[in-house]
Amino acid sequence: MLRLRTAPLAAIAVIAAGLTLTACGSDNGGSDKVATDTPSTTAPNGTGTGSSSGADGGRTMAPSGGSVGGGTNAGTGTGTGGDHCLTSQLAFAVAPGSGAQSQGSQGAVTITLTNKGAKSCAMKGYPGVDLVGGSTKWSLTRGTAETPKTVTVRPNATTTFNIFYLPFDKGDGQEFKPKSIVITPPNETHSHTLPWDFSSVLLQDGATHPGTYISPVGSK
């Protein structure tokens, strides 16, 4: 009788041990599943981080000479910090106080470019500038006194460039009477026209170093 009682107790011990092992296996399976699901829950955060990096890149790269970044995004028209300023995005004007300050001295016409868009944009280099009068169109030379830098223009902010010109003085050479200034911003193909309300200019369109030239965008 004692042997008959011992056998069931052993069987019960074996069954209990088996149940214990099964529960541990289920816990491990649950842990593995949680670990597998973690990347899918963090994936949207990773995507968001990528977008923020792109925005930071547009904001910080451009002022540090990030014309490469601006050039890469040029033409997209999204208006982010890394994109170049579109002609349609800018308001053009002649700054007060422009023009020659005394007879026979070189004059300076300061052109203001104001970002009227909703987002920042960037420019680097020289605009295209033509002085037009009658049948004459004079595409002005670039000055070399200043090194072009990338300029980021925030909404409603303004940057400038200068047109330095040599007024005509009787007996100096050929007189040129401009009527308008045709301006094409850097990396743009569309232009904007402003009136020329200053004196006649000494025409030096064939000179190597003319007294009439332009500065890069961002110059004072």
Side-chain angles (χ1 to χ4, degrees):
M1 294 297 293
L2 293 176
R3 290 180 181 178
L4 292 175
R5 290 178 181 176
T6 302
L9 290 174
I12 290 170
V14 170
I15 292 170
L19 291 173
T20 302
L21 290 172
T22 303
C24 292
S26 298
D27 288 343
N28 288 340
S31 298
D32 290 343
K33 185 176 182 180
V34 172
T36 302
D37 290 344
T38 300
S40 65
T41 58
T42 58
N45 292 334
T47 303
T49 301
S51 298
S52 297
S53 296
D56 288 343
R59 185 173 62 252
T60 58
M61 286 297 290
S64 62
S67 57
V68 175
T72 302
N73 295 327
T76 62
T78 59
T80 57
D83 292 334
H84 78 276
C85 297
L86 304 175
T87 303
S88 58
Q89 190 177 355
L90 300 171
F92 298 73
V94 175
S98 293
Q101 302 302 310
S102 61
Q103 182 93 20
S105 65
Q106 186 184 48
V109 177
T110 300
I111 304 296
T112 62
L113 307 172
T114 302
N115 181 4
K116 60 182 181 179
K119 297 181 179 180
S120 297
C121 63
M123 287 182 280
K124 181 180 181 180
Y126 296 82
V129 177
D130 297 326
L131 295 184
V132 180
S135 60
T136 301
K137 182 174 75 171
W138 184 6
S139 297
L140 300 188
T141 300
R142 299 174 176 182
T144 58
E146 297 182 66
T147 301
K149 297 179 181 179
T150 300
V151 178
T152 298
V153 189
R154 296 180 179 180
N156 299 315
T158 298
T159 188
T160 62
F161 73 89
N162 294 306
I163 302 172
F164 296 99
Y165 70 98
L166 195 59
F168 172 77
D169 194 9
K170 192 172 182 179
D172 282 349
Q174 185 176 352
E175 181 181 14
F176 175 43
K177 298 180 178 180
K179 296 296 182 183
S180 59
I181 315 165
V182 181
I183 304 165
T184 306
N187 300 314
E188 265 294 276
T189 56
H190 296 85
S191 60
H192 183 86
T193 301
L194 293 173
W196 178 269
D197 295 324
F198 308 98
S199 65
S200 298
V201 178
L202 177 63
L203 185 63
Q204 297 177 306
D205 54 348
T208 304
H209 300 289
T212 301
Y213 55 90
I214 58 173
S215 68
V217 169
S219 60
K220 301 296 184 181

